[in-house]
Amino acid sequence: MMRTPLITLTVLGLAGTAFAHTGVKNMIVKARMDAMSAIGADMKTLGQMAKGATAFDRDRARSAAASIAKHAADTPALFEADEDDPKSEAKAEIWDDFADFTAKSKSLEALALELSASIAAGSDLAPAIKSLGGACQACHKVYREEK
Ligand code: HEC
């Protein structure tokens, strides 16, 4: 089970630390990328604990999940304006079906919120990361074009 978090983080493109938002000129785009980067950093916190690179700390794990929930809650408002930037990886489809985009944000929020109250042991992390990762990918697959 130790492989799951690593695989998930790699699939999500979080293995590296350099995010694409350096040089973004559109501040609305930058704000939404910053929120996504924060979600990525929270996932990394969970991933590091899951693979034993950092010690399991229940409160830290729960607050990383709570932070993901908060950023997921902010996501629809951050993406509401149909804004673009050469550095953006957001696909135009977001604004073709914003209700679906919102629903995908809400499912991540609900899941992360639940985990922020339920993570109790180190062994909870791998399944937590797997389900969170599924929610990230459900949206990225349709609405994010990795450059
Ligand atoms: C509802 C849709 C949605 C969900 C859910 C979602 N993302 Fe994203 N994410 C996006 C979109 C769209 C972009 C591209 C934004 C842009 O470049 O303008 C993005 C970009 C990113 C980026 C790159 C940020 C940057 O600075 O370029 C990271 C990292 C990221 N997401 C991590 C995650 C993780 C981890 C999760 C799950 C815990 C997640 N996202 C869940 C839609 C989503």
Side-chain angles (χ1 to χ4, degrees):
M1 280 312 286
M2 293 310 278
R3 292 184 62 83
T4 311
L6 279 175
I7 290 164
T8 308
L9 292 178
T10 310
V11 166
L12 294 172
L14 299 176
T17 46
F19 291 121
H21 56 194
T22 336
V24 175
K25 298 210 167 58
N26 183 327
M27 286 302 121
I28 295 169
V29 172
K30 181 159 191 316
R32 71 194 189 202
M33 283 174 146
D34 284 346
M36 280 296 152
S37 296
I39 292 181
D42 293 325
M43 277 294 267
K44 204 167 174 182
T45 299
L46 295 174
Q48 297 282 352
M49 265 185 225
K51 66 177 184 190
T54 54
F56 175 71
D57 176 332
R58 195 195 78 158
D59 291 343
R60 245 187 107 217
R62 288 187 177 196
S63 73
S67 169
I68 292 174
K70 186 198 161 293
H71 291 296
D74 291 343
T75 296
L78 286 169
F79 280 84
E80 200 168 14
D82 184 351
E83 293 283 340
D84 201 9
D85 185 281
K87 297 264 181 185
S88 176
E89 297 174 336
K91 287 198 189 169
E93 282 81 353
I94 294 171
W95 299 281
D96 291 342
D97 195 350
F98 198 69
D100 180 62
F101 183 83
T102 302
K104 287 181 163 57
S105 309
K106 297 246 180 256
S107 28
L108 175 61
E109 180 191 354
L111 180 64
L113 204 58
E114 196 244 297
L115 290 168
S116 73
S118 68
I119 292 173
S123 58
D124 293 334
L125 293 174
I129 289 171
K130 197 166 184 233
S131 50
L132 287 168
C136 316
Q137 278 177 280
C139 186
H140 288 178
K141 201 173 58 196
V142 198
Y143 298 118
R144 180 186 178 197
E145 173 182 38
E146 294 207 37
K147 287 180 179 166

